[in-house]
Amino acid sequence: MDSQRSFLVIALAIVSFFLWQEWQKDYGPKPIAAPTSVEQTQNITPGSSTTGSNGDIRLTGDDAPSQVTAPTTPSAQLVSVATDVLNVQIDTSRGDIVGVTLPEYDLTKDSDQPYVLMRKLPGFEYTAQSGLIGADGPDDQTNNRQPYQFAQQQYQLAEGNDELVVPLVTNFNGLQIEKRFIFSRGQYDVRVEYFIENQSDVSKRVQPYRHLVQNIDNGESSSMMMPIYRGAAYGTSEERYEKYDFDDMAKKNLAINTTGGWVAMLEHYFVAAWVPDQTTSQRLYSMVSGSKGVIGTRSDVIELQPGASTVVGSTFYAGPKQQDKLAELANGLDLTVDYGFLWFISQPLFWLLTTIQSFVINWGLAIIIITIIVKGVMYPLTKIQYESMAKMRNLKPKIEELQARYKDDRQKMGPAMMELYRKEKVNPMGGCLPMLVQMPIFLALYWVFVESVELRHAPFMLWITDLSTKDPYYILPVLFGISMFAMQKLTPMQVTDPLQQKIMMWMPVAFSVFFIWFPSGLVLYWLVSNLISLAQMLYIYKGMEKKGLHTKKA
């Protein structure tokens, strides 16, 4: 098979792949301004509770959490917390996280505004809620309670300190509750702990929950060339990573029992996640409540005898999709860096890319070097491809002779062709194998460049200031088209059909147009790959000509 036919296969594969991605209809919200005040909107709790005849807490609509209107709490305020990597706002009515800003990440390239991940504004909500429900829980929908009390309204991680503790305190129906947010320097994960003491003379039963709430549709959508997933995901002891988008929520409420696990909301380079105690039983749930999607996890009921106390903890993460950090928090949480079905190729490539970058300190140079490595590893296959193509050209007269001899007998032509290939030691599919190997690598690198937050706003040189976005002047796609045209000239097509010839002639133009929307880092990779291929072709053809094999069409 000649290279032009292989290029056509690649083009059709790419088109099919991205058309399939377009059907997924994933969404990616753009950050908006940070919240400035508490908005008295609806709170969502994981079901109302009743006490059964056996004394167990039962949640009404167990797999379909309900929406309730929170009691009016005029005294509720925002507590602001600032660390070196997080700015967080906590609503004291229930201790919910209603704002998260990431000062280490710009809103846009060279912007002086930080990236706002979570916020609660009129018409839009993206928050992290948690609490204690059950017959004696203060956050049950039937209970009217006072907001948490706090010592100060603003907290700042002091220079030289590695930890900051923000305590909120309340007393409800004989339960003394302290909700602690524990922040660490340089960390995007926050430890959220409940210190609960039963100060009454009767037993108390509560059930911890935590979930994420987000508006389903904010009017922003991904494009065909940048199919960014926006929605929920979860992990269990059996399934490390599963997407559960808002359409899934609308069709069916998630209801899974597991040990440990996690739930998350994703938006391109960033993730918010709840990670409960990984050794305890959890109930993962979801729902659609009005215009909001909810995904969460609920722990088993805790019974406290009079005078008893306990500590219940979980981890909240809000920040960039840093794979190594996420992998430490929960099994499969690192897969929120979604490399798709080729993750097993993308992850090693990402590791190699970051390792190279740690030495060269430039992501563009790292991409060039990894391209050289990939092409070097694939050189034996490339050599097989071009040698196979040359042998097929040399066999063309004999093939045409067989075709003329058996033009009226197709049954005899097939075996005669196979015998000719065996005798001449030619594999007619030898030119396809390298292309079939390169295609998964191409797609795997595509997801590395699209999904890896490390490449977000990463500059290369000259006009390429962000390798994660398209070339602003389309220079790299044009250079790629020229390199592809040069490869065509070096291996002239053998097809005689005029229509096929025109398709092949316009292939470089079609690819250049496709690559206009691709991340410039990916186009840089493919351009360098083509240049290396040109050099390899010249070298291989020169060696074959010395052996008497024709490398060009006669």
Side-chain angles (χ1 to χ4, degrees), residues 32-37 39 41 98 119-126 215:
I32 56 179
T36 57
S37 63
E39 190 70 24
T41 57
V98 296
R119 56 273 185 188
K120 188 174 183 179
L121 296 171
F124 185 85
E125 178 178 354
Y126 182 11
N215 276 62

Side-chain angles (χ1 to χ4, degrees), residues 65-78:
S66 60
Q67 174 177 290
V68 299
T69 301
T72 301
T73 53
S75 58
Q77 300 181 55
L78 291 182

Side-chain angles (χ1 to χ4, degrees), residues 37 40 44 68-69 72 82 97 99 129 135 187-188 193 196 198 275 312 322 331 351 362 381 394 410 413 441 537:
S37 63
Q40 293 300 330
I44 300 169
V68 299
T69 301
T72 301
I97 295 174
Q129 300 178 2
Q187 301 298 317
Y188 292 95
E193 295 181 341
I196 312 168
N198 184 2
V275 182
V312 180
Q322 297 177 343
N331 182 30
W351 174 85
N362 183 293
L381 292 177
N394 280 269
R410 294 281 182 179
M413 182 185 296
I441 294 176
M537 290 168 68

